[in-house]
Amino acid sequence: MDHIGKGDINHEEWMSCLPEKLWDVPLTHLSIPGSHDAMSCLDITSPLLRSESDTFRLLDGVFCCFTRPAIYRWATTQAGLYLMQLTAGIRYFDLRIAHKQYDSSNELYFTHVIYTHATVVETLQTVASWLESHPKEIIILACSHFEGLDYKRHEEFIYSLKKIFGSKLCPCNVRNSHLWTSGYQVVLSYEDQSTSRHKELWPAIPYLWANKPNAEELIHYLECQKQLGRPEGFFVAGLNLTTDRCFIASHPRVSLRTLTMENWNRVKKWLEDQKPGAEPTCLNIIAGDFIGPVPFCSLVIALNKKLL
């Protein structure tokens, strides 16, 4: 591919199709589409996370006919499952992982207020199979939260990750410009002190989270962060919007999806002006919600043409 235009990107294999001039550019200097809270196929009947407040737990027990629809509207962040996201071009996945309280099994689930239908190990096995058929694509898995995981469960989970991805796992001491030539396909960020015991685990990747409810405040926050200079390695600029529970309770017809769509045009205009690279104000991974209904991946991938 001689150039990268929005209309001619092969999203499923966009890394394989990068121009030769970009092959030696470190991944930390490329523009990479990411999925915020990636696996939010929520099980609406599952219990609340144990970290939720006692007040909210009481409300959910008494008024679940109101709380559960609200949770579904505001905790669902993606319209498509993980394979659809991979095909769409997503290469960074924000994975929040937990063990269910009082669950005698060793199953781990993805979480966002409640738990998902999908289990972690089974999902990642499917991702590994996808990588087998896409040998030039590289993904970044950012595992965090780990609610309910003690030392033993951490070690069992890390063992499973090594078994699932095997030689695809990139050790954290490898220069990320050498991933392709070395055959690595997975950068595994693990937000826990366990990283010090396993060379395959990368430290937590900084995530610039505005915690704002509209595009103007989101963009103001990200512009302020850019003026402070980019981190040395991987980092994420989050385009996800956030509201508080008072707003949610007083706006029963609004959802995270409708809020995201209402603000998309302003976010899109700002996004088109960004660029990847090594300079202090450049971006790297750009993560968003509902990446399917809008041309998010096309825009983020196309930013790499500014490096040519």
Side-chain angles (χ1 to χ4, degrees):
M1 187 169 67
D2 295 326
H3 65 284
I4 308 171
K6 294 176 204 170
D8 57 7
I9 296 171
N10 175 359
H11 294 84
E12 188 168 354
E13 297 184 303
W14 70 266
M15 286 183 159
S16 310
C17 297
L18 284 173
E20 188 174 352
K21 287 179 65 175
L22 299 182
W23 289 359
D24 290 326
V25 175
L27 291 181
T28 50
H29 296 165
L30 289 178
S31 177
I32 300 174
S35 177
H36 165 248
D37 198 16
M39 308 298 182
S40 60
C41 45
L42 299 173
D43 177 3
I44 201 67
T45 65
S46 77
L48 294 173
L49 294 182
R50 64 187 80 184
S51 57
E52 291 296 328
S53 68
D54 291 339
T55 302
F56 188 55
R57 199 174 299 280
L58 176 62
L59 285 172
D60 186 59
V62 178
F63 301 109
C64 62
C65 56
F66 297 105
T67 58
R68 290 298 162 138
I71 289 171
Y72 192 78
R73 290 199 313 274
W74 290 96
T76 300
T77 58
Q78 302 300 334
L81 297 177
Y82 50 94
L83 286 180
M84 294 174 63
Q85 294 179 47
L86 282 164
T87 301
I90 293 295
R91 294 296 177 265
Y92 165 90
F93 294 87
D94 169 25
L95 306 177
R96 305 176 185 199
I97 293 165
H99 180 263
K100 287 182 181 178
Q101 194 172 15
Y102 310 123
D103 186 350
S104 59
S105 76
N106 290 322
E107 291 289 4
L108 301 179
Y109 295 85
F110 303 107
T111 68
H112 197 197
V113 184
I114 54 178
Y115 302 88
T116 58
H117 288 285
T119 59
V120 174
V121 170
E122 184 178 6
T123 299
L124 295 182
Q125 287 171 337
T126 307
V127 171
S129 296
W130 187 89
L131 289 171
E132 287 286 346
S133 59
H134 299 78
K136 291 295 184 181
E137 300 302 303
I138 297 170
I139 62 172
I140 303 163
L141 303 179
C143 300
S144 65
H145 288 61
F146 301 117
E147 189 168 298
L149 273 70
D150 55 15
Y151 175 86
K152 181 174 181 290
R153 283 206 168 95
H154 271 294
E155 291 300 310
E156 289 173 348
F157 179 45
I158 293 167
Y159 173 79
S160 296
L161 291 170
K162 291 180 180 180
K163 185 177 180 181
I164 291 168
F165 294 112
S167 61
K168 293 181 176 64
L169 284 173
C170 177
C172 64
N173 60 354
V174 172
R175 289 181 58 190
N176 64 66
S177 58
H178 294 164
L179 264 66
W180 276 308
T181 56
S182 303
Y184 298 122
Q185 288 186 271
V186 181
V187 172
L188 181 56
S189 164
Y190 203 87
E191 195 171 329
D192 184 79
Q193 60 187 9
S194 304
T195 54
S196 62
R197 301 191 298 271
H198 301 274
K199 63 181 176 62
E200 297 87 354
L201 303 183
W202 291 55
I205 295 173
Y207 193 109
L208 305 182
W209 177 46
N211 193 19
K212 300 297 181 183
N214 58 66
E216 293 302 328
E217 292 182 87
L218 166 73
I219 291 168
H220 176 74
Y221 167 82
L222 291 175
E223 285 296 327
C224 289
Q225 292 298 310
K226 284 170 59 179
Q227 298 312 308
L228 298 176
R230 56 156 295 157
E232 184 177 343
F234 290 111
F235 76 101
V236 185
L239 302 186
N240 46 297
L241 300 174
T242 310
T243 62
D244 57 31
R245 286 178 177 174
C246 290
F247 179 93
I248 293 171
S250 60
H251 294 78
R253 295 183 181 276
V254 180
S255 68
L256 182 58
R257 177 169 180 149
T258 60
L259 188 71
T260 301
M261 296 303 112
E262 287 171 4
N263 285 272
W264 168 247
N265 285 337
R266 180 67 185 94
V267 172
K268 174 178 177 288
K269 183 177 179 182
W270 177 84
L271 181 57
E272 289 174 328
D273 292 334
Q274 305 312 302
K275 65 176 183 178
E279 290 77 20
T281 58
C282 290
L283 299 185
N284 176 211
I285 301 166
I286 304 171
D289 291 329
F290 299 103
I291 54 90
V294 295
F296 172 79
C297 289
S298 295
L299 289 170
V300 175
I301 296 167
L303 293 177
N304 289 306
K305 68 183 179 181
K306 297 183 181 183
L307 296 173
L308 298 174

